[in-house]
Amino acid sequence: MTLFARRERRSPTANGRGAPRRRTVPRNQRLAPYLFVLPNMLIFAVFIVYPTINNFNISAYDSNNGRTFRYVGGRNYSELVDNAEFWAAARATALFAVCFVVLVTAASIGLAMLLDQRIRGRGLFRAVFFLPVLLSPVVVGLIWGWIFDRNNGLANTVLRGVGLGEPGWLINDKLAMTVVIFVALWTHVGFYTMIILAGLQGIDPTYHEAAMIDGASSWQRFRSVTLPLLRPTTMVVVILSMIAGFQAFDFIWTLTGGGPVGATTLMVQYIYQHAFESPIRYGLASAGSVVLFCTIFGLTALNFLYNHRKAAA
Amino acid sequence: MRRHAAILTAAGFAAALLTACSPGSSSDSGGAQQADEKKLTYVYFTDGPDEQATRNLIAEFEKQTGAKIDLQIVPFANLEQQLQARLSGDNAPDIARLSNIDPFRDDLLDLNAFEKSALDGQFIDGAKAYITGKDGGLLAVPSDLTMNGPMINVDQFKKANVALPDPKKPWTWTELIAAAKKVQQANKTQYAIAMDVSGHRFATMLSQYGTTYFTEDGQVALDKAKATAAVKQFADLNNSGAMPKDVWLQAGSKYKGANEVFLAQQVPVYISGNWQVSAFDKTAKFTWKAVPNPCQDRCGGFPGGKFMVSFKKSKHQKLAAQFIAWMNSAESQKKMCQQAAFLPTRKDLIASGIDFPTRGEDMNLFLADVKQTPADTYANVYNPAFSAAANAARDELAKVLAGKETPDAAVDAMRTAAQKALEVTK
Amino acid sequence: MTAQATRSKTRPAGTWTSTGDRRPPATGKVLTYAVLIALSIVVLAPVVWTVLSSFKTQAELAQRPPTILPDSFGLTNYTEAMQTFRFATYLKNSVVVTVGATVLTLMINTTAAYGLAKYNFRGRNFLFLVTLGTIMIPLQIILIPVYQVASDLHLVNSLWGLIIPPAATPTGVFLLRQYMLGIPDDLIEAARIDGAGEFRIFLRIIVPLCGAPIAVLTIFSVIWRWNDFLWPLIISQSQDKYTLPVALAQFDSQLVVPFNYILAMSVVSMLPVIIIFLVLQRHIVRGIASTGLK
């Protein structure tokens, strides 16, 4: 993936001669880009950037209704640091995000490799794996919660049938987290598989031919040709899935409600509950979301830096 | 890149400066400009059949006054959130039905300013402190009273040859558990007793064991020994499989009714409240009835209630107050109670009693329990910190059921949470 | 992933449907099919189970062990569930919002992506960073500040409020920009020499080349807007402005709602997106496969 394309350093005419930029670009070409980006950026600014900055501001206040505010400075943050539930949510979020990113990346590469072969019904398989992406997260959580019900759920009906007992999927904290990760994979793997497939398509077949002439096995070719050339695509998957992982909320809300005993309560739910459930601590919730935002931002930046360095080396 | 970072920082600071004054909404003046048209919006949540009863009454009011009322039904789980949003914008409804008025105290209209003669002093005394504002105004009208209590599957009790309790001599908890377990075995149901996932429902059991979250003068009550006994009993019932532990743990921090288990005939005894009556009347495919709350240390159930409020930001304050007064007049409230199987909140109606056209026996049983219910329970449910304390109790119970906490420690944690909730709401 | 390779020299020319050109060996092929079919079952089973169960009565749902097929495929659950609320209104609102927001998204995202991809201007990298940054902010977190803005702009309780704010999708800008980077500058330059205006170049040259990513963005926008819940819940305040998911939640909120109704309504909410996906499917697979995410 080209993030900050090199050629952009030159003029838009891109003839690469290093002509002095300002003089060669006509006025309408200098104005045009601003007009092109204006409508979209205006909506960004009004509905995302401004409220987010306002949110930083709110995190310095205390409020029990989200409307009347009392200035408290940094006290919301120090309260967060002392709050055990906050750390529990942070740990759960980290665990969930790491597992989700690793598994979804591995699974989508694996699935894409399978689907990238010349097989019958490939289009059908792709459509099937994409199906969960289409469903509303609320409905996804609802369905899986019902399937994993210990007594009447489909999962345990099947397990009982083959004599494997009836695990309490949603009442044991480790199993519940496993279920949450599984459902997240089930929902998203189709989407990331499509991205990886696109990346595989972009790999020049001559590399594979050369490797084959050298007598490389298919595993060796996967390791030393496919994976390195797939790196930029993989990075997109890692970044997108990481952001999705840190934001997970709605399907978990209908699946486990964050339980049992907070085992699957992730950061967004923690924030949501403090903002909207009794006792309402709106400023505290804002402080939580500032922390979450900075975490995601920091990790994404690290990811970019690491990959740029790696690409440059 | 460094230059961009600088721009970003600068933009951030600029925007922060712009908003630094106060994050509240820009138009935070006291009263809203009043409009003349006779149109009201009423934000409502429903437990089922009460919706039609409300619509009938609205139609009558519209006919009498020529006003037009837009009933907007909102999911209970999202009610507070939507109201907060509407108030922070400039789209306050004229009337709302609430189960917890606390987050809105500063926004509520003093109804005494318009309808003092019709409303002041007409409603149960237990609610008085809760619905009175700092400057003595009437912020809300208790529109219906709820009473928690058990309902049983009569068919299953008959099959098991277990006698129903004598209304004059209620079960003790021990008797209730013994009876329920016997019926469970005879009918091979999954569970013996089910309770909604709710700290409010558990408060019923706490009260019967002799304690509550708060005292009448608003301090933390929660007697250590008594509360621990209740928590222990609750945990034993769940761990032995008599109660559906799964339902409690699977709900996480969502409200979850156990009514499905009861309706599926997988549990003979269901501890909920009178608001289930009219719905069960329609949906239950078996004979069922309400029975008196069990007596342990104390008798009676646990009250709850809904309120009707208007807002300072309403553009039709006078008409809104008039509508609230009309809906809670003796005549209207009686109709509402009869059609929706609600319990009255008006002193005169409680004194005179109500003839319930359907399931009268069950409703009167709940009404009888209202009289048995100790006074401090009202002080609890009308304490501003109640929902926070109840939510904490729900979470601590889940910890006990998951084997992560002893009943002893859970009670300590509930006390701490109740104390904190009191401080936050002060 | 596949088993030991045998080398096949022949390699048919790749079309979009056959991006891969490795011919797997026989044993590998069997294994591939086995894995794909097993995974398909895992993916499909819950959905099929939901559809089948949505025809069951409450008693059938409570039955242990559950039966696979319902007693009858009668539509009682569906008709009764729909009678409970003004289904046609909510469906219409959902369609209006989904179509309106998708059209707007396509318009402003493509222009923005073009500006970011093909021009060199002061603040461009900053704007691109902002775009990336906004991907990271979930609505739940900034709900009240956003609502205040919407309210100040009189977007509350109007379908415009559901169409405009979510229309500027950062993901859309990102995908389209990445794709446009791959379009040769010479093409644009040649058109400029022919005297074409900037907007004309965009409309006549760039947009036709972006069919694939536009198809992708269309389906995603449809999925997002159709399934949106939290934002419509806050913005749609009177019943005549409700969208389908909000109405569903209202249904779910009543204390005594039979689960069979909820299943039926869930199936109803799935159908339109699945149909649109099946219609657009060919374009989507091609689209994602060529979005330039490489």
Side-chain angles (χ1 to χ4, degrees):
Chain A
M1 187 183 66
T2 335
L3 263 173
F4 297 101
R6 308 266 139 67
R7 82 171 83 85
E8 297 163 12
R9 289 259 160 248
R10 303 173 196 145
S11 77
T13 53
N15 56 13
R17 303 251 164 74
R21 181 168 51 188
R22 291 280 147 71
R23 244 169 282 161
T24 55
V25 183
R27 212 171 132 256
N28 67 334
Q29 281 177 43
R30 259 186 280 149
L31 194 63
Y34 294 102
L35 293 177
F36 277 126
V37 300
L38 183 70
N40 197 83
M41 294 303 161
L42 200 65
I43 296 185
F44 273 174
V46 172
F47 290 103
I48 305 181
V49 179
Y50 170 76
T52 305
I53 293 168
N54 202 4
N55 204 48
F56 273 85
N57 184 29
I58 292 171
S59 73
Y61 288 79
D62 195 11
S63 167
N64 61 4
N65 56 15
R67 279 170 289 114
T68 43
F69 294 86
R70 199 162 50 82
Y71 184 79
V72 294
R75 227 179 305 158
N76 285 327
Y77 290 93
S78 55
E79 199 177 331
L80 275 188
V81 174
D82 291 336
N83 185 325
E85 280 166 47
F86 170 78
W87 289 109
R91 268 195 303 275
T93 310
L95 176 67
F96 172 80
V98 168
C99 292
F100 176 66
V101 170
V102 170
L103 292 175
V104 91
T105 308
S108 52
I109 292 178
L111 203 53
M113 292 298 289
L114 290 181
L115 289 172
D116 196 37
Q117 301 173 59
R118 294 184 53 77
I119 49 167
R120 230 175 253 278
R122 185 165 50 176
L124 184 69
F125 281 124
R126 285 180 181 177
V128 166
F129 294 130
F130 202 73
L131 176 70
V133 181
L134 303 173
L135 306 182
S136 141
V138 173
V139 171
V140 167
L142 204 82
I143 293 176
W144 280 107
W146 164 60
I147 286 177
F148 278 115
D149 182 85
R150 182 161 71 156
N151 295 305
N152 290 341
L154 180 64
N156 279 357
T157 306
V158 173
L159 288 182
R160 260 197 309 272
V162 296
L164 284 176
E166 37 182 60
W169 292 107
L170 301 175
I171 65 169
N172 171 300
D173 44 5
K174 292 202 178 62
L175 284 179
M177 186 49 111
T178 313
V179 167
V180 165
I181 294 170
F182 168 77
V183 173
L185 278 178
W186 181 85
T187 316
H188 292 292
V189 77
F191 172 63
Y192 297 112
T193 300
M194 294 291 171
I195 297 181
I196 299 280
L197 270 172
L200 287 177
Q201 190 193 26
I203 295 177
D204 193 332
T206 50
Y207 289 114
H208 278 285
E209 280 158 19
M212 266 193 273
I213 290 166
D214 290 344
S217 73
S218 70
W219 174 247
Q220 281 169 328
R221 272 185 289 133
F222 175 72
R223 280 286 309 274
S224 51
V225 179
T226 312
L227 271 189
L229 289 172
L230 204 58
R231 162 183 280 290
T233 317
T234 314
M235 187 183 113
V236 173
V237 170
V238 167
I239 290 178
L240 290 181
S241 62
M242 189 189 77
I243 292 170
F246 276 101
Q247 291 180 354
F249 167 62
D250 28 21
F251 78 95
I252 304 180
W253 183 244
T254 43
L255 178 63
T256 66
V261 200
T264 58
T265 301
L266 307 191
M267 270 317 281
V268 173
Q269 185 181 329
Y270 177 87
I271 292 162
Y272 177 85
Q273 285 182 310
H274 278 89
F276 294 110
E277 273 187 7
S278 227
I280 291 177
R281 302 292 311 281
Y282 198 65
L284 192 71
S286 287
S289 56
V290 166
V291 171
L292 179 63
F293 175 77
C294 292
T295 310
I296 301 178
F297 199 90
L299 285 174
T300 311
L302 273 182
N303 225 319
F304 274 136
L305 286 180
Y306 174 77
N307 276 279
H308 265 261
R309 189 163 301 165
K310 197 103 175 177
Chain B
M1 280 308 277
R2 198 180 302 150
R3 192 166 54 88
H4 296 128
I7 294 173
L8 187 72
T9 325
F13 273 119
L17 276 178
L18 282 176
T19 56
C21 322
S22 167
S25 67
S26 44
S27 50
D28 220 19
S29 56
Q33 194 157 11
Q34 297 299 297
D36 281 337
E37 85 241 80
K38 296 186 112 184
K39 225 181 135 216
L40 295 175
T41 50
Y42 181 9
V43 169
Y44 191 84
F45 68 91
T46 173
D47 299 321
D50 52 288
E51 181 188 338
Q52 196 49 52
T54 303
R55 286 192 190 280
N56 295 345
L57 283 173
I58 285 177
E60 212 174 302
F61 180 76
E62 286 176 337
K63 218 165 111 194
Q64 279 181 22
T65 60
K68 179 95 194 66
I69 287 155
D70 180 14
L71 189 70
Q72 305 180 345
I73 294 172
V74 173
F76 176 67
N78 305 99
L79 176 75
E80 249 186 62
Q81 193 180 330
Q82 209 206 47
L83 274 180
Q84 294 289 8
R86 288 182 73 152
L87 287 164
S88 72
D90 262 337
N91 194 23
D94 298 300
I95 307 142
R97 179 181 196 230
L98 295 176
S99 68
N100 177 12
I101 70 166
D102 253 359
F104 306 101
R105 252 169 212 282
D106 296 339
D107 306 288
L108 298 179
L109 181 70
D110 174 12
L111 298 166
N112 272 347
F114 299 93
E115 295 284 349
K116 191 170 166 92
S117 57
L119 295 174
D120 204 33
Q122 301 294 322
F123 301 91
I124 40 171
D125 290 325
K128 193 158 173 118
Y130 183 69
I131 59 178
T132 305
K134 278 186 201 120
D135 42 9
L138 178 67
L139 300 184
V141 169
S143 50
D144 70 86
L145 182 73
T146 59
M147 179 48 56
N148 294 354
M151 276 156 279
I152 59 163
N153 185 323
V154 176
D155 293 350
Q156 292 179 339
F157 267 74
K158 275 200 183 129
K159 195 179 159 200
N161 252 328
V162 176
L164 305 184
D166 177 359
K168 288 188 194 80
K169 197 179 160 298
W171 280 326
T172 62
W173 261 95
T174 327
E175 286 165 344
L176 182 150
I177 292 166
K181 281 190 172 164
K182 216 165 148 195
V183 179
Q184 177 194 18
Q185 276 161 11
N187 290 275
K188 300 206 167 43
T189 57
Q190 276 174 286
Y191 310 107
I193 306 166
M195 188 193 277
D196 298 328
V197 183
S198 145
H200 175 252
R201 242 64 92 224
F202 180 68
T204 321
M205 193 170 170
L206 274 182
S207 167
Q208 287 150 3
Y209 272 76
T211 186
T212 52
Y213 298 126
F214 302 111
T215 62
E216 278 183 87
D217 55 358
Q219 301 299 312
V220 175
L222 220 57
D223 180 273
K224 185 84 203 272
K226 289 172 177 168
T228 311
V231 173
K232 237 184 212 143
Q233 180 64 270
F234 183 81
D236 285 349
L237 284 170
N238 276 281
N239 289 330
S240 67
M243 276 180 139
K245 179 161 126 179
D246 294 44
V247 175
W248 200 279
L249 284 173
Q250 277 178 25
S253 46
K254 288 174 301 185
Y255 166 79
K256 180 95 180 84
N259 47 2
E260 282 167 32
V261 191
F262 186 65
L263 284 172
Q265 306 205 49
Q266 291 299 336
V267 66
V269 179
Y270 172 40
I271 298 173
S272 188
N274 68 290
W275 60 92
Q276 304 278 11
V277 167
S278 60
F280 282 3
D281 185 42
K282 288 206 178 68
T283 43
K285 304 247 181 344
F286 49 87
T287 321
W288 62 274
K289 68 185 301 228
V291 296
N293 273 288
C295 297
Q296 195 74 10
D297 277 18
R298 315 198 292 185
C299 295
F302 202 85
K306 315 286 156 55
F307 303 88
M308 281 178 76
V309 300
S310 180
F311 297 92
K312 285 177 189 159
K313 283 190 177 173
S314 158
K315 292 188 179 70
H316 315 94
Q317 296 175 350
K318 191 169 185 303
L319 187 63
Q322 187 192 342
F323 176 68
I324 293 176
W326 188 87
M327 285 294 279
N328 293 286
S329 64
E331 195 188 345
S332 306
Q333 195 174 74
K334 192 167 163 190
K335 280 184 193 159
M336 184 78 192
C337 289
Q338 285 171 332
Q339 284 178 40
F342 278 0
L343 298 173
T345 55
R346 290 183 66 93
K347 286 188 213 160
D348 49 1
L349 286 181
I350 296 175
S352 68
I354 289 181
D355 294 326
F356 290 95
T358 49
R359 312 283 326 185
E361 203 186 322
D362 301 294
M363 289 308 294
N364 282 319
L365 222 141
F366 280 110
L367 253 182
D369 259 350
V370 170
K371 287 168 196 150
Q372 298 284 322
T373 301
D376 61 352
T377 57
Y378 290 92
N380 263 271
V381 77
Y382 295 128
N383 186 313
F386 180 79
S387 18
N391 285 348
R394 173 200 66 200
D395 294 344
E396 296 305 325
L397 282 176
K399 285 185 197 162
V400 175
L401 298 194
K404 291 198 182 309
E405 201 170 68
T406 61
D408 220 37
V411 172
D412 285 340
M414 286 179 200
R415 284 188 64 101
T416 317
Q419 184 61 44
K420 212 173 154 206
L422 277 180
E423 281 158 18
V424 170
T425 48
K426 248 166 206 161
Chain C
M1 283 280 116
T2 56
Q4 281 300 311
T6 55
R7 269 146 239 182
S8 69
K9 293 269 155 64
T10 49
R11 188 170 59 79
T15 60
W16 73 266
T17 46
S18 58
T19 61
D21 27 33
R22 292 170 296 122
R23 186 189 289 282
T27 48
K29 202 160 190 168
V30 172
L31 206 68
T32 303
Y33 279 121
V35 172
L36 286 177
I37 289 170
L39 288 177
S40 300
I41 291 172
V42 173
V43 168
L44 287 178
V47 181
V48 173
W49 181 242
T50 305
V51 174
L52 289 177
S53 301
S54 71
F55 294 99
K56 292 180 180 173
T57 62
Q58 242 181 318
E60 282 179 88
L61 282 177
Q63 207 172 312
R64 287 186 73 183
T67 53
I68 294 177
L69 291 176
D71 279 350
S72 90
F73 279 95
L75 291 174
T76 334
N77 288 342
Y78 287 83
T79 49
E80 282 179 10
M82 286 183 196
Q83 275 161 10
T84 321
F85 46 65
R86 289 146 59 194
F87 187 74
T89 311
Y90 309 139
L91 191 66
K92 189 198 82 200
N93 288 343
S94 270
V95 169
V96 168
V97 167
T98 305
V99 171
T102 301
V103 169
L104 187 63
T105 297
L106 290 177
M107 291 192 314
I108 64 180
N109 275 4
T110 43
T111 50
Y114 180 57
L116 290 175
K118 288 296 171 194
Y119 287 93
N120 199 0
F121 60 97
R122 194 179 280 271
R124 183 194 56 186
N125 281 356
F126 170 68
L127 287 179
F128 184 57
L129 269 183
V130 169
T131 309
L132 284 181
T134 49
I135 298 185
M136 301 172 210
I137 304 166
L139 175 67
Q140 288 91 350
I141 288 181
I142 51 169
L143 197 58
I144 287 186
V146 185
Y147 178 85
Q148 283 172 353
V149 173
S151 151
D152 288 344
L153 297 174
H154 300 284
L155 289 173
V156 169
N157 206 14
S158 97
L159 294 184
W160 286 114
L162 299 180
I163 292 174
I164 296 172
T169 70
T171 318
V173 176
F174 181 68
L175 289 178
L176 285 160
R177 173 193 178 264
Q178 296 305 105
Y179 184 86
M180 287 175 183
L181 285 178
I183 297 175
D185 288 340
D186 299 349
L187 226 52
I188 300 165
E189 206 44 42
R192 279 192 187 128
I193 290 166
D194 290 347
E198 297 298 307
F199 189 71
R200 203 183 147 79
I201 295 177
F202 165 74
L203 210 60
R204 289 293 157 83
I205 297 181
I206 303 299
V207 170
L209 285 174
C210 291
I214 286 177
V216 176
L217 186 55
T218 305
I219 183 70
F220 276 112
S221 174
V222 168
I223 296 171
W224 290 329
R225 297 295 85 81
W226 184 264
N227 290 331
D228 251 355
F229 170 65
L230 194 58
W231 183 245
L233 181 75
I234 298 296
I235 291 292
S236 308
Q237 298 180 341
S238 60
Q239 251 163 317
D240 57 331
K241 297 291 190 309
Y242 279 3
T243 61
L244 215 49
V246 176
L248 255 177
Q250 176 200 321
F251 198 60
D252 189 26
S253 73
Q254 299 188 6
L255 285 177
V256 194
V257 180
F259 195 65
N260 47 342
Y261 288 5
I262 293 180
L263 285 176
M265 295 316 292
S266 298
V267 172
V268 169
S269 83
M270 290 178 193
L271 281 179
V273 251
I274 292 182
I275 291 169
I276 291 175
F277 173 72
L278 290 178
V279 171
L280 284 179
Q281 194 228 19
R282 215 169 59 88
H283 305 282
I284 291 153
V285 176
R286 173 171 52 178
I288 294 185
S290 59
T291 326
L293 285 166
K294 47 195 175 202

